[in-house]
Amino acid sequence: MNQSSPNTDSGLDMVTGTESKLLLRALRGEACARPPIWLMRQAGRYLPEYRATRKKAPSFLDFCYTPELAVEVTLQPIRRFGFDAAILFSDIMVVPHALGQKVWFEEGRGPRLDPVAGPGELVRLSMCSLDENLAPVYETVRGIRSELGPETALIGFAGAPWTVASYMVEGGGTREFAKVKTWAYGDPEGFQKLIELLVDATTQYLESQIAAGVEVLQLFDSWAGALTANGMRQWCLDPNAEIIRRIKANHPHIPIILFPRGAGLMYRDIAAESGADAVAVDSTVPPAWVRDELQSQVAVQGNLDPILLVAGGEVLRRSATEILETLAGGPFVFNLGSGIVPEADPEHVGELVELVQGWSAR
Ligand code: CP3
């Protein structure tokens, strides 16, 4: 703690009035001298210390619901790399689980769920015990907050309604989205009831994370790119905008990042209309397009290809530099275009963090 300029809990320096957390400055629209950096899935299997801690829990869900272990893995990448933000360690599947759906993780296969096959099965789900079931996650948030330094922002998150609904209806990951789309196209009113339940549950979950101490929120719409343009408006843009509107009404100072992965040309409408403070872009979108079409409306986050952290070397440096040269002149958060993969080399991650944190606007 700086003796002459006491920091409040928010990191705001009360004497100079400047915000010490770079992430919060960028998300409020500031072009920082160098951009903040954090990586989606920065706590994960690419880190040997994560794999060691992971062994202490019998299942992945138990791991997410054990605050001591979740706090530890959240902090591991902060200690090792000095990222500008920590992201709560949890998973987007805790919401369907807390609503009463059966959820489990199979080694190497990702999440599995007892599928919700149609509107008649929504009675199996209930918001009654949501906060009670998710209490360990809020305890994790409090534990992380008490250990983070004044420069490091804490990000809370949830899956967006469409992405979570796709797992709930398919019963797991899917390539075709056949069941969930057949329901959405064939019975839009019935499907809307599931989306509305998820809007309510996600809003409550995120507001409870704020109460526990997160300073930024990210909504992961990882499967937005499976939708048509009309579908994206109906099942991605509108529900996310509603969640953001409700949270902003109670917590106008909490910045919200929306990640509609694969949104393509729809990124423009989403940036203009969602109410998000920042839009995270996937690796397919050209940085110059992001700058020209999105960055005048919102802060932007992204979009290095995660596989470059497997490859490393000159192509990693060249690709990261191109992104910095194009986007660091405006409000920008350096990140990947999707989550880091288990095969990523921690050495390459270290080199990337050094490159971004050593950047200065030319
Ligand atoms: O970013 C972070 O470090 C915070 C933790 C976090 C996890 N999942 C931990 C996790 C976050 C933000 C997520 C989000 C998430 N989970 C998404 C959206 C983001 C994205 O990547 O698209 C999705 C679709 C899920 C669902 C999910 N959870 C899948 C598909 C898988 C299996 C994939 C895999 O890598 O095996 C998970 C499991 C999971 N969630 C792991 C981690 C670290 C790996 C499982 C393990 O360690 O045993």
Side-chain angles (χ1 to χ4, degrees), residues 41-43 45 50 54 60 87 90-92 111 167 220 222:
R41 297 283 198 91
Q42 64 191 17
R45 285 165 295 179
Y50 172 91
R54 171 73 185 79
F60 183 71
I87 178 161
S90 180
D91 195 83
I92 65 169
Y167 284 96
F220 286 87
S222 304

Side-chain angles (χ1 to χ4, degrees), residues 340-358:
I340 197 165
V341 297
E343 297 78 16
D345 185 337
E347 293 265 328
H348 298 155
V349 176
E351 283 168 34
L352 174 67
V353 173
E354 239 175 75
L355 178 76
V356 174
Q357 294 190 336

Side-chain angles (χ1 to χ4, degrees), residues 167-203:
Y167 284 96
M168 293 175 78
V169 175
E170 300 281 347
T174 166
R175 286 171 75 90
E176 309 292 348
F177 297 86
K179 286 190 203 160
V180 67
K181 284 187 178 181
T182 303
W183 183 2
Y185 289 144
D187 170 27
E189 288 81 21
F191 186 65
Q192 182 65 25
K193 292 203 170 64
L194 173 57
I195 293 289
E196 277 165 16
L197 173 67
L198 288 169
V199 167
D200 291 344
T202 306
T203 303

